[in-house]
Amino acid sequence: MLIAIIIGIITGFFSGLLGVGGGTILVPMLLFIGFGLKEAIGISVTQMMLSSIYGSYLNYKKGLLKIKNGLSLAIGGAVGASLSGTIIKYTPKEILGAIFLTLVFIAIVRFFITVKEAESEPPIDNKKLFFIGLFVGAIAISVGVGGAILITPILVGFLKYKLKTTVSLSLFFVIFSSVSGFISQSIAGHINYIEGFTIGFASLIGTYFGVKLYHKTDTKTHKKILLVWYILIFFAMIYKLYFKG
């Protein structure tokens, strides 16, 4: 129990400090202390559900969350994530690991590609957002990550939405997708409830302090830390999954 609390606090702290979803932090940590990949994904989804509800509540109070605009993306995410229990059940851990690595690789590549933000923003296309949510929810939740890692480049790079709009949409998406994923994976028997909720609630404490330190870190330093973190995770996961797993 104590180890779970410590892991939760560490996950929340670095999630708040780096501004990333807890899955890219929590899943590798759980693998390295002996959890199987599918169990680690279940615990990560539980933590993600708790943190996304709490974080989105805070953002709603601050006026940063636009529920109407994010609803179609969120519903699509919920439908896609509802498939995650089945996807995990029938997909070998090597393939799930490869998907996780691909998402981390996308995050690394984004550091070296600058997408110019559009001066004018197109109107919200609910149909497109639904199908984007469906795709991202099915893929991301099945490997224990939130999905913003895919949503941001798709909405900014292809649909030409502004980054501020994208952040608002992503926040709401993660609530629906993580809750749906939690239910789906619970039915499939992939959730370790004690570890998941202990880590999840402990992560809220860590997030508070991580966010405080984030506001004291300059942008250039923050980007360097984040890039180094993703590169370490990428190679550590390759080692764990394919050489020592």
Side-chain angles (χ1 to χ4, degrees), residues 162-180:
K162 292 184 179 295
L163 186 59
K164 187 176 181 180
T165 301
T166 300
V167 170
S168 175
L169 293 171
S170 298
L171 287 169
F172 202 42
F173 165 86
V174 176
I175 299 179
F176 277 63
S177 61
S178 60
V179 171
S180 176

Side-chain angles (χ1 to χ4, degrees), residues 10 22 24 27 29 34 43 60 73 76 94 100 133 148 155 165 167 176 178 197 199 242:
I10 292 172
T24 54
V27 171
M29 277 203 298
I43 293 173
Y60 178 75
L73 183 72
E94 290 80 10
F100 184 95
L155 298 192
T165 301
V167 170
F176 277 63
S178 60
F197 279 98
I199 290 172
Y242 301 108

Side-chain angles (χ1 to χ4, degrees), residues 90-91 93 108 137:
Y90 293 106
T91 305
K93 70 173 186 177
I108 294 172

Side-chain angles (χ1 to χ4, degrees), residues 15 25 36 53 60 62 116 130 142 148 161 180 189 193 214 220:
S15 179
I25 299 168
I53 292 172
Y60 178 75
K62 293 179 180 179
K116 186 177 180 181
F130 174 83
S142 295
Y161 290 157
S180 176
Y193 296 99
Y214 166 74
K220 190 175 181 180

Side-chain angles (χ1 to χ4, degrees), residues 111 218-230:
F111 279 89
D218 65 89
T219 303
K220 190 175 181 180
T221 301
H222 180 265
K223 285 185 176 181
K224 287 180 179 179
I225 295 173
L226 188 54
L227 177 59
V228 170
W229 171 262
Y230 275 135

Side-chain angles (χ1 to χ4, degrees), residues 226-237:
L226 188 54
L227 177 59
V228 170
W229 171 262
Y230 275 135
I231 291 173
L232 287 174
I233 289 299
F234 184 77
F235 287 106
M237 286 290 286

